């Protein structure tokens, strides 16, 4: 879902509204006639205002916004709607004609305005869509909207990685850069915009040859939004706390053991070769660590390893540190070699065991982000692991990273070719019959062409395909998905579509195949060819596309000059043919027709 509208707060040209289909439908439904409304909560920068603006777009509504400057002025937020009304009763009566009221930054309302909002929710006929920020004090009348169950509450989750990638599509960033930004921002879309703007303005995005994409390697730009996220470090810490946080920042990506905070550790930092293993914690340092943990600035693992809690703090602290101090705190150039080798061995073991569920790869991720030398052998393993997970764009990016360091590396070249093949249009791989399927799977897994490992999920998939057993294919797909093979799981469901005799079972398998394929970064294989909205009529395809873009049934009816009932009937028929009743699934299904 991608729509454009002027930003409600900054009045700057916005990024496209992306994803959030389920949340958008929920807010629209809660603000419809006959409903009382909804409260949307989440941390600052999560996208609450943008979601609500999109949800009420085209609907007649009034809007009020809380501000820090007016928190002590009665009814300040409603001044443009009340014409000097001085009492709560009079304010409720004055707003009786407002059918839909949007209340933004409700945590910043003055007490009188907060009480008015609560009264409208309890007694008025006004439908309310309220946005409030988590983790900050709010007037009691506002918090009671959801704690007292006056209105339903939508706690806005971070934008998923795939939706973040779609949001950044216009910036033409390569996937490793997109993942880095998603990891650093943790759902803070204002920070995301700030960082991308700074990277472009500072010329830090480097073209990736042959792709039309750009990559970010190296230090973090210290932007105003980054400084804001660093505020807890500066405001709640003294010299002793900052010393420890800086040591942790320069120890990344490896955490430090608790034993590394004794007096012997003060002269340097680095997970290896620092001579700190025998040092003991002083009572002072233990107190400091306990305060930092209580403030949520560090995390301590069960093994006693200490790390920064916010992934942004490490890069930000390193970027803000002077050169001489950074030189003192930085470990030797070879300090990550053993850890990188361990990661590579672990990934190889997992692939040999046919298990590619997410694995910790903090060292490799950190090294490529910082622009450090990534060995081609490691890059090839990362490319293969990503490709087997269905992350074909990530796989190509890792292969290119290895080739950049070592041109002509056979492993990286092979992985780049395989990733490109699985990102191509359907039809590149020829027929995919019973025997052809097993041979092609063996090549993709890096195994000798021939029988697949006996008893493996891939062997069960091939056997079910040979028997044309739709139910067994769906079971094999589920097992593949559980082991992390998302693209292979999508293909198994696609095979089940053709094997099922029951049309309803076939529709369910197709919906599952398409939903999994959407998580595979645009992968296109012969098996998935044809799994589109081909069974829908032209009118159904038109209505489904409009519904997927976020329009309500009434808006669709007005645009196509149809009755609302006719639109509903068409959608019901489309849902039946697609094997889903979830309006939120429509965007990914429509995307498959592109």
């Amino acid at each position: 879902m991608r729509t454009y509208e002027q930003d409600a707060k900054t009045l700057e040209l916005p990024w496209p509204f992306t994803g959030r289909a389920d949340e958008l439908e929920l807010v629209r439904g809660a603000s419809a006639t006959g409903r009382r409304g909804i409260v949307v909560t989440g941390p600052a920068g999560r996208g609450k205002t943008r979601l609500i603006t999109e949800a009420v777009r085209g609907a007649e509504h009034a809007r009020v916004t809380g501000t820090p400057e007016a928190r002590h002025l009665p009814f300040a937020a409603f001044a443009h709607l009340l014409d000097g009304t001085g009492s709560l009763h009079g304010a409720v009566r004055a707003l009786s004609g407002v059918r839909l009221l949007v209340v933004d930054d409700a945590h910043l309302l003055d007490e009188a305005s907060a009480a008015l909002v609560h009264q409208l929710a309890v007694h008025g006929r006004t439908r309310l869509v309220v946005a409030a920020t988590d983790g900050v004090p709010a007037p009691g009348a506002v918090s009671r909207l959801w704690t007292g169950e006056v209105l339903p509450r939508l706690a806005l989750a971070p934008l998923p990685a795939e939706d973040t990638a779609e949001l950044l599509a216009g910036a033409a960033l390569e996937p490793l850069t997109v993942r880095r930004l998603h990891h650093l921002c943790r759902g803070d879309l204002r920070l995301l915009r700030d960082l991308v703007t700074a990277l472009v303005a500072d010329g830090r995005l480097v073209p990736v040859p042959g792709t039309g994409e750009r990559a970010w390697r190296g230090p973090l730009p210290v932007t105003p939004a980054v400084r804001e996220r660093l505020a807890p470090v500066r405001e709640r810490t003294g010299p002793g706390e900052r010393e420890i946080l800086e040591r942790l920042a320069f120890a990344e990506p490896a955490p430090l053991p608790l034993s590394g905070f004794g007096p012997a550790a003060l002269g340097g930092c680095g997970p290896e070769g620092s001579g700190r293993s025998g040092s003991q914690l002083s009572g002072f340092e233990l107190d400091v660590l306990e305060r930092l943990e209580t403030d949520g600035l560090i995390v301590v693992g069960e093994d006693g390893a200490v790390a920064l809690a916010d992934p942004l703090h490490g890069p930000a602290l390193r970027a803000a540190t002077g050169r001489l101090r950074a030189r003192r705190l930085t470990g030797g150039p070879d300090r990550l070699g053993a850890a990188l080798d361990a990661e590579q061995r672990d990934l190889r073991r997992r692939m040999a065991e046919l298990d590619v569920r997410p694995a910790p790869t903090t060292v490799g991720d950190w090294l490529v982000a910082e622009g450090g030398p990534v060995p081609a052998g490691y890059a090839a393993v990362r490319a293969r692991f990503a490709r087997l997970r269905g992350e074909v764009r990530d796989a190509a990016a890792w292969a290119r990273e290895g080739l950049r360091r070592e041109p002509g590396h056979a492993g990286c070249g092979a992985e780049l070719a395989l990733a490109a093949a699985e990102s191509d249009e359907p039809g590149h791989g020829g027929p995919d019959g019973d025997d052809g399927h097993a041979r092609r799977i063996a090549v993709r897994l890096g195994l000798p062409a021939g029988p697949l490992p006996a008893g493996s999920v891939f062997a069960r998939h091939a056997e079910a395909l040979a028997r044309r057993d739709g139910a067994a294919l769906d079971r094999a797909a589920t097992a593949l998905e559980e082991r992390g093979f998302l693209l292979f799981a999508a293909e198994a469901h696609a095979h089940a579509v053709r094997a099922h005799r029951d049309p309803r079972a076939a529709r369910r398998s197709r919906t599952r195949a398409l939903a999994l394929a959407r998580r595979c970064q645009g992968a296109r294989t012969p098996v998935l060819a044809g799994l589109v909205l081909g069974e829908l009529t032209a009118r159904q395809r038109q209505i489904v596309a409009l519904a997927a873009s976020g329009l309500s049934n009434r808006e669709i009816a007005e645009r196509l000059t149809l009755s609302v009932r006719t639109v509903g009937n068409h959608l019901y028929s489309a849902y039946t043919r697609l094997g889903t009743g979830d309006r939120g699934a429509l965007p990914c299904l429509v995307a498959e027709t592109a």
Side-chain angles (χ1 to χ4, degrees), residues 229-238 242 245 297 313 317:
R229 279 276 288 271
L230 268 178
V233 174
R234 301 188 185 280
E235 295 170 0
R236 302 206 301 262
T237 61
R242 283 196 291 273
L245 293 175
L297 296 176
H313 285 172
L317 287 169

Side-chain angles (χ1 to χ4, degrees), residues 282-432:
S282 67
F284 169 75
E285 285 201 327
L286 183 58
D287 289 344
V288 171
L289 288 169
E290 289 176 351
R291 287 199 299 272
L292 291 173
E293 184 181 23
T294 300
D295 287 342
L297 296 176
I298 65 171
V299 290
V300 181
E302 294 182 1
D303 58 353
V306 185
L308 294 167
D310 190 325
L312 186 78
H313 285 172
L317 287 169
R318 291 194 297 273
T321 301
R323 291 186 178 181
L324 292 177
R325 184 166 179 76
R327 183 178 299 176
R328 179 171 71 86
L329 292 172
T330 301
D334 299 326
R335 67 187 179 93
L336 299 180
L340 196 67
D341 290 343
E343 276 189 5
Q344 183 172 338
R345 289 193 300 272
D346 180 58
L347 294 178
R348 287 186 179 278
R349 176 186 60 79
R350 291 169 182 267
M351 289 187 288
E353 295 173 354
L354 297 182
D355 187 347
V356 293
R357 284 172 286 192
T361 53
T362 53
V363 178
D365 294 340
W366 185 91
L367 198 60
V368 75
E370 296 292 320
V374 179
Y378 175 86
V381 171
R382 287 297 301 269
R384 183 182 171 205
F385 193 83
R387 178 176 57 79
L388 293 180
R389 286 183 46 78
E391 297 162 350
V392 292
R393 295 189 67 239
D394 284 12
W398 275 107
R400 291 191 190 96
E401 193 69 25
L403 292 171
R404 184 167 69 90
R405 299 290 179 184
E406 190 177 328
H409 187 273
C412 289
E415 287 301 330
L416 183 60
L418 285 168
E422 293 184 359
S423 302
D424 201 355
E425 290 299 316
H428 62 78
D432 196 56

Side-chain angles (χ1 to χ4, degrees), residues 130-335:
V130 181
T133 297
D134 285 337
V136 297
V142 169
S143 60
R144 284 196 298 273
L145 289 175
W146 63 87
T147 59
E149 299 183 352
V150 177
L151 294 177
R153 178 189 185 188
L154 169 61
L156 206 57
L159 199 67
E162 55 267 26
D163 288 336
T164 301
E166 186 180 350
L167 180 67
L168 293 171
L173 302 177
E174 56 95 41
L176 300 186
T177 296
V178 173
R179 283 196 178 275
R180 182 183 183 187
L181 287 166
H182 177 75
H183 174 68
L184 291 175
C185 296
R186 296 204 302 182
D188 189 335
L189 301 183
R190 290 187 303 180
L191 174 62
L192 182 66
R193 182 200 296 250
D194 193 54
L195 284 177
V196 173
T197 301
L199 292 172
V200 172
D202 296 347
R204 300 198 191 192
L205 295 175
V206 180
V208 179
T211 67
E213 298 176 335
R214 298 176 293 175
W216 168 36
R217 302 289 187 267
L220 179 79
V222 184
T223 67
V226 170
R227 293 190 185 95
E228 183 179 336
R229 279 276 288 271
L230 268 178
V233 174
R234 301 188 185 280
E235 295 170 0
R236 302 206 301 262
T237 61
E241 288 91 347
R242 283 196 291 273
E243 170 76 22
I244 286 179
L245 293 175
E246 285 181 347
R247 276 193 274 156
L248 288 170
F250 281 89
E252 287 184 343
L256 287 176
L258 276 174
S259 61
F261 290 93
L266 291 174
C269 184
E272 298 173 354
S274 59
R276 298 176 302 175
S277 59
S279 59
Q280 299 296 318
L281 275 172
S282 67
F284 169 75
E285 285 201 327
L286 183 58
D287 289 344
V288 171
L289 288 169
E290 289 176 351
R291 287 199 299 272
L292 291 173
E293 184 181 23
T294 300
D295 287 342
L297 296 176
I298 65 171
V299 290
V300 181
E302 294 182 1
D303 58 353
V306 185
L308 294 167
D310 190 325
L312 186 78
H313 285 172
L317 287 169
R318 291 194 297 273
T321 301
R323 291 186 178 181
L324 292 177
R325 184 166 179 76
R327 183 178 299 176
R328 179 171 71 86
L329 292 172
T330 301
D334 299 326
R335 67 187 179 93

Side-chain angles (χ1 to χ4, degrees), residues 452-491:
L452 294 169
S456 68
V457 289
F458 292 97
R460 297 204 300 271
H461 178 188
E463 292 163 2
L465 179 61
R467 300 195 308 269
R468 292 290 191 267
D469 187 334
L473 285 165
D474 282 331
R475 289 194 296 272
T478 299
L480 286 164
E481 182 182 359
E482 289 173 350
R483 287 181 163 262
F485 294 98
L486 300 188
L487 183 56
F488 292 94
E491 291 177 325

